[in-house]
Amino acid sequence: MAAEAALLDEFRRLRARVPQLTGALAAGVDGLVLAHDTPGVEPDGLAALTAAALGVAMRVTDATGRGDFRELLMRGTDGYVATYAAGRTAVLTLLAQDGVNVGRLHLEGRRAGARIGELVDADAALPKPSPARGSAKEPAKPMPTRTRSTRAAGTAANARTTTES
């Protein structure tokens, strides 16, 4: 990913603004790592768990009518895990010590999530280079379109509507 260096630079600036941060990870909503600075924490596992937590959080916000996912905060005995929306296709997960100022964590996490979202979305919009002409595989054939079969002639006549008695 071309934006990985920019993401790592954002993590560095974020750590300077919130010294109690112990890790930062940008991942796709599919659970794949985009960039990480997570000493002592396995980034692929954290990205997968973040995607799972994101799925649950999105279902909860949808089921309760709270709109689109914005952030998720979890607190353990030794600190916080905060996940923020980062554009259309990514999330930012921050790890922080127990003594962190949670308001500051949210303020900086939201700002960083917005910047990371811009970087990731811009990178995703760039055209990808095509493979060399000789090594190109045959393009995949499109999946056949499924169509519905027509109803039997008597089905519509036998259907009841709410206006019939």
Side-chain angles (χ1 to χ4, degrees):
M1 164 179 232
E4 184 176 5
L7 295 176
L8 292 172
D9 189 50
E10 183 61 37
F11 292 165
R12 183 189 53 74
R13 288 193 308 269
L14 185 58
R15 280 184 180 253
R17 293 188 306 269
V18 184
Q20 296 84 8
L21 281 183
T22 59
L25 171 120
V29 294
D30 56 2
L32 295 177
V33 175
L34 301 175
H36 69 92
D37 177 14
T38 55
V41 177
E42 200 274 312
D44 291 324
L46 180 59
L49 289 169
T50 295
L54 175 65
V56 171
M58 289 173 68
R59 288 186 66 184
V60 169
T61 57
D62 185 47
T64 58
R66 299 300 183 244
D68 293 335
F69 170 81
R70 295 284 187 235
E71 60 199 36
L72 174 65
L73 180 68
M74 293 170 272
R75 182 177 182 204
T77 56
D78 297 327
Y80 292 88
V81 179
T83 300
Y84 301 92
R88 295 184 312 272
T89 61
V91 292
L92 169 66
T93 295
L94 301 177
L95 309 176
Q97 298 170 354
D98 191 39
V100 71
N101 178 326
V102 177
R104 182 66 184 246
L105 177 67
H106 280 320
L107 176 70
E108 297 298 342
R110 291 169 186 152
R111 287 178 179 169
R115 282 191 291 276
I116 288 169
E118 291 170 1
L119 291 169
V120 171
D121 290 347
D123 190 55
L126 294 176
K128 303 297 181 218
S130 60
R133 188 175 194 135
S135 65
K137 293 182 180 180
E138 186 176 317
K141 293 180 182 174
M143 294 293 291
T145 304
R146 293 185 65 176
T147 58
R148 293 184 176 186
S149 59
T150 58
R151 286 186 177 180
T155 306
N158 294 334
R160 293 181 55 102
T161 65
T162 57
T163 57
E164 293 178 355
S165 42

